Amino acid sequence: MNVPDDLLYTETHEWIKREGENVRVGITDHAQSELTDVVYVELPKMDRQANAKEAIAVVESVKAASDIYAPVKGTVAEVNKALEADPGLINREPYGQGWIFVLKIDNADDLKQLKDAEAYRKQIG
Amino acid sequence: LLAHGNVAQFACKVDRVVLNAMAMSAALPPDICAFGESSAIVFGEADPPLHASLRRLLSLVTEAGPKKTPLYDEHVRLGAKIVPFAGWLMPVQYTSIVEEHRAVRNDVGIFDISHMGQLIVEGAGAREWLNAMLTNNIDKLDVGMGQYTFLLNERGGIIDDLIVYRVGEQKFLLIVNAARADEDFAWLQNHLKEGRSPDRPGGRPSFANATAGKLETVVPCELTNRSANFGGVAIQGPRVVELFRELFGKDIEPPTRNYIADFRFDEMTVSVARTGYTGEDGIEVFFRTIDAVKFWNGALEKGKPLGIKPCGLGARDTLRLEMCYPLNGSDLSPDRNPIEAGLGFFVDLSKPNFIGRDALLKTKEIGPREKLVPFRMKEKGPPPRPHYVVFQNDQRTGEVTSGTLSPSLNWGVGMAYVSAAHAKIGAEIDIEIRSQKFPATIEKKPLYRKSEK
């Protein structure tokens, strides 16, 4: 399973990429392979403020709906509209075109709470 | 990322004969399902009169872990995702639900249905007794033919939906849902015992008047649970007849729709029924547990040039839902009767007595309070899921029992119980999904037709 070294991770299978004052968020390769066949994505509203671990998006596969959580406290700065037309991007390019939203983070120190690639690899065994 | 859908709530189900009960008298071998004996003889003299709920409790204690079908290792070897379902560890998918679904619609797919219960009722009184236990009319069955039917409680509620095959003049095979198999067996066993003549305490169980509970003619019949010794697969899809001939011989004719017959494959005898739960042409094959792996791998190998795919419970659920075939535990329950479920066709109220008849007559007279209806979302959006609330004119009118994104239609579809007054084809309803209402239309069955592709 692909777990890139340069990303951060949550226990709930989101990946986080630092981009200056923002973070880009998606779900991991492991998560998409568990879900398979993503058929619908409910994106968060722009400018929505969210606390860490607050559910702000939903990814639906054929079999189930799954919540996506804000990895840290912040404000939604960008959402991936391409997923509305092509939710399968999450399956095909989980770390690329399948990103879900960008969060402007309140406090960069919060990122220290997240897992590095090695810790996430250990989690998914 | 936490699933709050119904991952574990997948179909396990009697593969179902729907309508088309064209009784063509096929030439059948004389020994249909002759091998269908089991070592599990049921009516020992010392068999204590266990109450059904106590039986369930006991089985929980003694069989705490989920069971594995004889094909479990094959599923793991093929990389299936395994989920607990109805007390079994079952493959939910091998590669992708959508891919497996398409294989069945376009080519052919194979499902493990070994978790389903297999009961045998045999004896001079079998026909008469089953007619008192089940809703459909057994007398319509020629030897070798099957029918979809219900096992009801006294209130007319559905204990199980199943297929009963007449495999001999006085012998019947019942294929029941995995989740209900023990309960069905206990229910039937208790009713058989009630019919045992008190002045023949050691005698054979016999047929009793089901509704009055009083003893009538003493006609012997025996109930056997052969589930532990038998397994099965469903092979479904437009190329199934080609595969059948690859397996059983170029010149061998498959049974006519709804019929069952025995065939030889690689030195084993299997029963093949022309039934299914997908809406495609298909067969269901029942074999001894010890033959399971050999048959499964044989079918996968012979099916390779035809594009066969092993298919899990996920695809089984989307396929059956497109056809509006009900799933027990979701669409059917002991609190729902066949009339509410829109399945009155499989109930013969002209039979003089069967369990639940009085309750159904009453429902028929006053009309059902709610009805199960198929619906289709009006817009592309989130797929409907079980337990979502249904509104009509801002009034709560029902609840979704099955819902998914239909892989064939690439559209959200489902079934819901709505108040009978609102259950009209073409009526507009709203499905509440995460506090937002999404419009849908009540459709007629099925939700998917081949020509719509």
Side-chain angles (χ1 to χ4, degrees):
Chain A
M1 216 50 77
N2 185 12
V3 181
D5 285 326
D6 59 337
L7 301 177
L8 295 169
Y9 299 89
T10 64
E11 227 162 76
T12 47
H13 307 286
E14 289 89 6
W15 57 259
I16 296 96
K17 186 182 179 194
R18 180 90 190 257
E19 297 178 350
E21 293 190 338
N22 293 345
V23 288
R24 192 170 297 268
V25 180
I27 65 168
T28 65
D29 190 27
H30 171 74
Q32 73 75 22
S33 94
E34 283 296 310
L35 290 173
T36 65
D37 303 326
V38 173
V39 295
Y40 182 79
V41 181
E42 190 172 291
L43 297 166
K45 297 237 179 333
M46 284 293 287
D47 303 321
R48 171 175 174 174
Q49 295 186 353
N51 286 315
K53 297 180 182 172
E54 189 178 337
I56 60 169
V58 179
V59 170
E60 299 213 31
S61 68
V62 172
K63 62 186 175 188
S66 308
D67 285 330
I68 307 299
Y69 301 95
V72 290
K73 193 173 182 203
T75 307
V76 176
E78 212 180 321
V79 296
N80 188 0
K81 288 271 180 201
L83 294 176
E84 289 178 346
D86 187 4
L89 282 171
I90 287 182
N91 294 120
R92 299 197 304 276
E93 297 182 49
Y95 299 113
Q97 296 300 306
W99 65 278
I100 300 170
F101 56 86
V102 171
L103 215 54
K104 183 174 167 10
I105 48 179
D106 275 21
N107 183 351
D109 282 349
D110 292 350
L111 296 174
K112 290 178 187 155
Q113 309 296 318
L114 301 172
K115 293 181 179 227
D116 61 12
E118 202 190 323
Y120 181 67
R121 267 184 218 119
K122 218 170 259 172
Q123 181 194 327
I124 61 175
Chain B
L1 186 78
L2 253 176
H4 51 65
N6 62 330
V7 180
Q9 215 184 38
F10 282 109
C12 99
K13 172 117 290 237
V14 169
D15 275 8
R16 175 179 315 278
V17 188
V18 173
L19 307 178
N20 198 348
M22 293 186 308
M24 296 188 213
S25 43
L28 293 158
D31 60 336
I32 287 169
C33 301
F35 70 100
E37 298 301 339
S38 160
S39 54
I41 296 301
V42 182
F43 293 99
E45 304 306 322
D47 206 1
L50 280 183
H51 192 267
S53 58
L54 181 57
R55 258 170 212 287
R56 266 200 301 280
L57 199 64
L58 271 177
S59 78
L60 279 177
V61 174
T62 53
E63 301 165 35
K67 291 179 275 191
K68 294 173 179 176
T69 78
L71 296 170
Y72 176 83
D73 289 343
E74 302 308 304
H75 303 321
V76 172
R77 215 166 47 77
L78 289 163
K81 286 190 206 311
I82 304 286
V83 297
F85 173 79
W88 294 81
L89 289 174
M90 296 299 292
V92 64
Q93 64 185 66
Y94 299 82
T95 56
S96 124
I97 293 173
V98 174
E99 271 176 42
E100 291 161 27
H101 181 107
R102 289 198 180 124
V104 172
R105 288 276 178 256
N106 300 328
D107 299 305
V108 64
I110 183 168
F111 305 79
D112 181 7
I113 57 168
S114 302
H115 59 314
M116 298 187 75
Q118 301 194 20
L119 311 179
I120 297 279
V121 177
E122 189 171 17
R127 186 186 55 77
E128 198 182 347
W129 182 69
L130 277 175
N131 242 350
M133 295 293 120
L134 304 172
T135 60
N136 211 335
N137 197 336
I138 290 270
D139 292 339
K140 290 180 185 163
L141 296 182
D142 302 331
V143 174
M145 197 182 173
Q147 71 184 185
Y148 180 61
T149 188
F150 295 101
L151 184 66
L152 303 184
N153 60 32
E154 303 287 352
R155 294 173 289 121
I158 297 165
I159 297 171
D160 207 355
D161 61 334
L162 59 130
I163 290 191
V164 55
Y165 297 100
R166 185 172 197 170
V167 295
E169 196 60 47
Q170 300 184 353
K171 184 173 177 181
F172 297 85
L173 167 65
L174 281 60
I175 305 292
V176 306
N177 282 297
R180 297 275 203 259
D182 290 345
E183 198 179 333
D184 292 355
F185 181 69
W187 171 271
L188 290 170
Q189 196 181 30
N190 285 339
H191 281 277
L192 249 191
K193 282 180 176 171
E194 276 172 23
R196 191 179 293 183
S197 174
D199 57 357
R200 300 168 62 236
R204 298 290 246 187
S206 59
F207 168 71
N209 181 312
T211 37
K214 70 179 194 310
L215 291 171
E216 285 199 337
T217 44
V218 180
V219 199
C221 78
E222 237 173 84
L223 171 70
T224 312
N225 187 349
R226 74 174 206 184
S227 306
N229 302 321
F230 282 79
V233 294
I235 303 177
Q236 304 278 305
R239 304 194 74 174
V240 66
V241 172
E242 289 170 75
L243 180 53
F244 176 91
R245 296 213 165 95
E246 285 296 324
L247 286 166
F248 299 108
K250 294 270 171 262
D251 307 317
I252 307 285
E253 277 301 307
T256 313
R257 170 145 357 176
N258 296 351
Y259 275 82
I260 189 168
D262 284 2
F263 295 90
R264 296 283 295 171
F265 170 76
D266 199 5
E267 292 174 352
M268 57 176 124
T269 302
V270 301
S271 298
V272 179
R274 192 78 171 270
T275 44
Y277 189 45
T278 63
E280 296 297 329
D281 191 3
I283 57 174
E284 290 171 294
V285 184
F286 306 108
F287 38 66
R288 285 199 159 85
T289 303
I290 46 164
D291 291 329
V293 171
K294 195 158 83 166
F295 188 82
W296 170 267
N297 286 323
L300 278 177
E301 192 193 313
K302 301 265 188 196
K304 215 175 211 169
L306 305 172
I308 196 169
K309 265 188 182 296
C311 301
L313 295 179
R316 196 165 164 79
D317 194 45
T318 52
L319 288 158
R320 68 92 194 169
L321 183 49
E322 288 182 348
M323 302 313 295
C324 304
Y325 297 160
L327 170 61
N328 201 354
S330 296
D331 310 305
L332 310 178
S333 81
D335 298 319
R336 299 288 184 187
N337 71 44
I339 294 170
E340 291 173 300
L343 299 164
F345 182 85
F346 306 100
V347 177
D348 187 350
L349 286 169
S350 73
K351 290 198 298 184
N353 64 63
F354 61 86
I355 297 173
R357 181 175 181 268
D358 293 346
L360 293 190
L361 281 173
K362 201 164 177 192
T363 303
K364 197 128 200 180
E365 189 189 314
I366 59 175
R369 202 170 51 83
E370 293 190 319
K371 273 186 180 167
L372 183 65
V373 294
F375 66 87
R376 185 185 160 114
M377 304 308 291
K378 286 190 90 165
E379 299 157 8
K380 214 170 166 67
R385 308 275 181 196
H387 307 302
Y388 287 177
V389 176
V390 178
F391 287 86
Q392 212 162 14
N393 304 322
D394 288 327
Q395 295 253 322
R396 189 191 160 121
T397 175
E399 191 179 280
V400 174
T401 51
S402 288
T404 191
L405 182 113
S406 151
S408 301
L409 305 167
N410 196 24
W411 207 263
V413 298
M415 292 200 283
Y417 278 100
V418 300
S419 67
H422 295 119
K424 307 245 180 335
I425 292 166
E428 311 238 321
I429 55 176
D430 289 306
I431 313 289
E432 190 179 61
I433 305 177
R434 297 184 283 274
S435 311
Q436 205 185 325
K437 285 176 186 151
F438 292 85
T441 311
I442 295 177
E443 301 278 325
K444 62 174 185 228
K445 299 182 200 178
L447 285 159
Y448 163 79
R449 283 181 191 80
K450 203 94 197 177
S451 54
E452 274 181 39
K453 212 164 54 173

